[in-house]
Amino acid sequence: MSFSVTGLFTTNCHFKMKCLLRVWFVLFSVHLCYSQEDSLVVADAHYKEDQFYIGISYNLLANKPKGIKQSGFSTGLHFGAIKDMPLNQNRNIALGIGLGYSLNTYNQNLLINKDATGRVVYAIISDTNFYTKNRFTTQSVELPIEFRWRTSTPTEYKFWRVYTGFTVGYQLFNSAKAKGDFGNLKIKNSADFSKFQYGLTLSAGYNTWNLYVYYGLDPVFSNKAKLLNNAVEMNAIKVGLMFYVL
């Protein structure tokens, strides 16, 4: 009866290697499970959404006095940062408070000019062939406040959202420009514009594409602006797209 030491040694090595591989596999699996669990806990503990926003809009004027019409394409650009504060354990309901900037242009036929005394006066340009440019522009710093609902999770980055709230804006700059048969006219920082603007907002959509609507509750002009002795009480409506990023 005989046996091979080499064969026994080889068999033992193979057996030990299999045992080591099994132990390593078990330990690695346990470590991976704990690592995933810890990462989910950490992700959930700090889970927030939509920290920055940028939007474009088509600007409309509501409650226009008779004879005032918009022309061309009136645009708006909006961007800023929002502090996202989840309100529930699933973190899909939150409150957002932010700070942003808004630039808006309005093309229309309301001529804004100054008389000989320097007082701002208003007139309607009834003939569109009489001018090639007539618009006013506003720039404002804004404070958006949103109630946020979404279908996101700590690992899901494409989700439905509905954010509704209101925005308060403080006007930093305004200008009115006109160009036509009457020459070139330009007025800056007229006191006839309302310094404070506020309105209701709604953003809703999926993933990147979100419909954005703003309805102004305060007139664009103050009660100083008069057209035929009547206040110009137009308010802004903005419809466009809003994009959110972390």
Side-chain angles (χ1 to χ4, degrees), residues 141-156:
V141 59
E142 293 187 332
L143 175 67
I145 300 175
E146 299 176 341
F147 178 78
R148 300 174 147 199
W149 173 87
R150 59 211 175 201
T151 61
S152 61
T153 68
T155 57
E156 181 59 49

Side-chain angles (χ1 to χ4, degrees), residues 35-226:
S35 298
Q36 290 177 341
E37 183 178 355
D38 290 343
S39 64
L40 288 176
V41 170
V42 172
D44 184 69
H46 301 282
Y47 162 45
K48 295 179 181 179
E49 288 290 353
D50 302 339
Q51 305 294 321
F52 300 94
Y53 68 91
I54 182 169
I56 55 175
S57 66
Y58 175 65
N59 296 340
L60 300 168
L61 291 169
N63 299 321
K64 297 187 297 291
K66 185 178 179 180
I68 293 182
K69 299 178 181 179
Q70 288 191 248
S71 59
F73 196 78
S74 302
T75 59
L77 174 65
H78 325 279
F79 61 86
I82 289 186
K83 175 68 174 178
D84 185 80
M85 297 175 285
L87 300 177
N88 63 338
Q89 186 174 2
N90 292 333
R91 309 178 80 81
N92 63 336
I93 297 177
L95 180 68
I97 300 177
L99 183 66
Y101 168 85
S102 182
L103 169 66
N104 298 281
T105 61
Y106 302 87
N107 295 286
Q108 29 65 49
N109 63 337
L110 178 66
L111 182 65
I112 304 176
N113 197 8
K114 288 185 178 181
D115 62 15
T117 64
R119 184 172 62 93
V120 178
V121 293
Y122 300 84
I124 296 176
I125 309 174
S126 56
D127 187 357
T128 57
N129 296 321
F130 193 61
Y131 68 94
T132 56
K133 177 194 295 184
N134 189 65
R135 69 174 182 234
F136 61 83
T137 303
T138 64
Q139 298 181 41
S140 302
V141 59
E142 293 187 332
L143 175 67
I145 300 175
E146 299 176 341
F147 178 78
R148 300 174 147 199
W149 173 87
R150 59 211 175 201
T151 61
S152 61
T153 68
T155 57
E156 181 59 49
Y157 303 106
K158 295 181 179 181
F159 53 86
W160 291 95
R161 63 169 63 81
V162 177
Y163 297 165
T164 182
F166 65 93
T167 294
V168 178
Y170 179 78
Q171 193 173 106
L172 300 174
F173 176 82
N174 68 69
S175 67
K177 297 180 181 179
K179 183 179 181 181
D181 294 348
F182 43 76
N184 294 332
L185 303 177
K186 186 174 182 179
I187 297 175
K188 291 183 179 180
N189 292 325
S190 169
D192 286 9
F193 284 79
S194 295
K195 276 293 186 182
F196 285 95
Q197 294 282 308
Y198 55 90
L200 302 176
T201 61
L202 173 67
S203 297
Y206 178 76
N207 195 23
T208 302
W209 302 96
N210 300 275
L211 175 67
Y212 170 75
V213 179
Y214 169 92
Y215 184 84
L217 301 176
D218 190 48
V220 175
F221 294 92
S222 69
N223 54 15
K224 295 179 181 179
K226 302 287 185 180

